[in-house]
Amino acid sequence: MNSRTGVDSAPQQLSANRNYPVAGAWYRRLDLDNGVTRIWEPYVHPLEQANFWHIRGSERDLLIDSGMGIVPLRESFPDLFDKREVIAVATHTHIDHIGAIHEFDHRWVHPAEASQMEHPSGIVTLVCADIPPMLCQLFVEAGYPPFDELLIDAFPHAGYNPLDYRLRGVAPTRLVTEDDIVDLGDRRFEIIHTPGHSPGSICLWEEATGALYSGDLIYDGPLVYEGPGMDLDIYADSLRRLKTLPIQVVHAGHDPSFGWARLVEIIDSYLKRWNM
Ligand SMILES: [Zn+2]
């Protein structure tokens, strides 16, 4: 048994009949207007295929979340990260949001998840057998594809050994909560504490553009609201709170961005599903 997850320990080798192609480029990027870049990892299972957001400021830049950390992030995007001061903020500390945050000098997170960032637990490998079967069942019932052997379906380079991967823990450099500001010089982002998906989940709100960076509180796909550290009543309160903000666009932790009408539609559908 695996003491971390309580399930049978991971296989020591991969099945011989499963073929993993080598990815041409591990990351994908989409440059939006207004200095915003969306980055994601297309070869990661949709459950853990997160968006991370790079925002250019006049004095320094902001990175919201950082993916799985399977491939070094900074050196993959020299035009974004070379010689710039970057404040890396974790919306929360699940594996798909903090994988590469150790590469950055400034690492901000909510105090409720500081220890989880430094000593990650839960899902910390690429091996699906390490995920408790009950959780896998919940994810599939929520609408995610079934789980195969690994959380990736390609390797970043020839000779890669996915069994060597472990989510790397690192101490945060600053703890941030409600009303704290990320100041990039010409633009500022307000931290909003929106627990529910996890105790220390935060959103970043840029009032000047009406853009909300929502992490996993809300995205346009199956929301994950049942599992360790999740609370439905608190989740519902955080969703209701979003409807009080003049949001024009949501740049979420997963899936494509969306506007106000879709935001309200998603919130109302979940509150109805939960009888709230
Ligand atoms: Zn999450």
Side-chain angles (χ1 to χ4, degrees):
M1 293 287 272
N2 180 320
S3 60
R4 265 185 298 107
T5 59
V7 298
D8 291 339
S9 52
Q12 292 309 296
Q13 58 187 43
L14 298 171
S15 68
N17 56 1
R18 180 73 168 83
N19 181 40
Y20 292 91
V22 172
W26 187 253
Y27 294 106
R28 290 276 192 285
R29 76 188 269 176
L30 182 64
D31 293 306
L32 309 180
D33 56 2
N34 206 20
V36 177
T37 300
R38 173 190 171 200
I39 305 170
W40 69 102
E41 296 167 285
Y43 302 104
V44 173
H45 186 281
L47 177 75
E48 310 288 17
Q49 192 181 120
N51 294 324
F52 22 126
W53 301 91
H54 178 274
I55 298 141
R56 176 130 295 169
S58 59
E59 303 292 319
R60 60 194 69 82
D61 298 342
L62 168 61
L63 178 70
I64 300 171
D65 294 333
S66 59
M68 299 281 287
I70 292 168
V71 166
L73 180 60
R74 290 191 78 117
E75 63 190 56
S76 299
F77 298 101
D79 67 312
L80 294 182
F81 296 118
D82 248 20
K83 300 187 183 103
R84 298 277 303 180
E85 184 185 12
V86 180
I87 296 174
V89 178
T91 60
H92 63 300
T93 53
H94 288 153
I95 183 173
D96 47 335
H97 296 263
I98 61 162
I101 198 167
H102 62 86
E103 297 178 26
F104 297 89
D105 294 336
H106 304 288
R107 304 178 296 271
W108 297 9
V109 73
H110 189 275
E113 298 190 28
S115 67
Q116 176 68 18
M117 178 181 278
E118 190 164 3
H119 307 288
S121 60
I123 301 174
V124 295
T125 76
L126 298 178
V127 178
C128 295
D130 282 347
I131 307 175
M134 250 184 56
L135 275 184
C136 286
Q137 194 183 331
L138 274 178
F139 298 144
V140 171
E141 282 170 8
Y144 285 100
F147 293 87
D148 198 346
E149 189 173 37
L150 297 173
L151 286 170
I152 55 176
D153 57 14
F155 289 169
H157 56 79
Y160 178 74
N161 185 355
L163 303 180
D164 288 342
Y165 170 93
R166 289 289 180 283
L167 175 61
R168 184 164 156 185
V170 65
T173 59
R174 184 174 159 185
L175 303 181
V176 286
T177 187
E178 190 73 24
D179 293 334
D180 278 325
I181 300 290
V182 187
D183 185 353
L184 304 187
D186 59 342
R187 50 203 303 183
R188 60 203 305 271
F189 297 78
E190 203 178 305
I191 306 280
I192 306 175
H193 184 210
T194 48
H197 175 78
S198 69
S201 274
I202 55 173
C203 292
L204 288 94
W205 167 235
E206 190 181 36
E207 191 178 16
T209 60
L212 182 84
Y213 295 82
S214 62
D216 282 1
L217 171 65
I218 192 164
Y219 46 83
D220 199 353
L223 297 186
V224 175
Y225 51 84
E226 291 176 292
M230 300 183 186
D231 184 300
L232 212 52
D233 289 316
I234 293 173
Y235 204 135
D237 283 343
S238 292
L239 286 179
R240 285 191 201 100
R241 192 176 165 197
L242 295 188
K243 295 207 309 188
T244 68
L245 295 170
I247 294 168
Q248 294 187 35
V249 64
V250 180
H251 295 313
H254 297 264
D255 303 304
S257 301
F258 52 92
W260 173 259
R262 182 67 185 139
L263 172 73
V264 171
E265 199 173 53
I266 295 170
I267 293 172
D268 289 350
S269 73
Y270 277 91
L271 294 179
K272 189 175 171 198
R273 180 184 303 190
W274 302 338
N275 295 316
M276 289 178 178

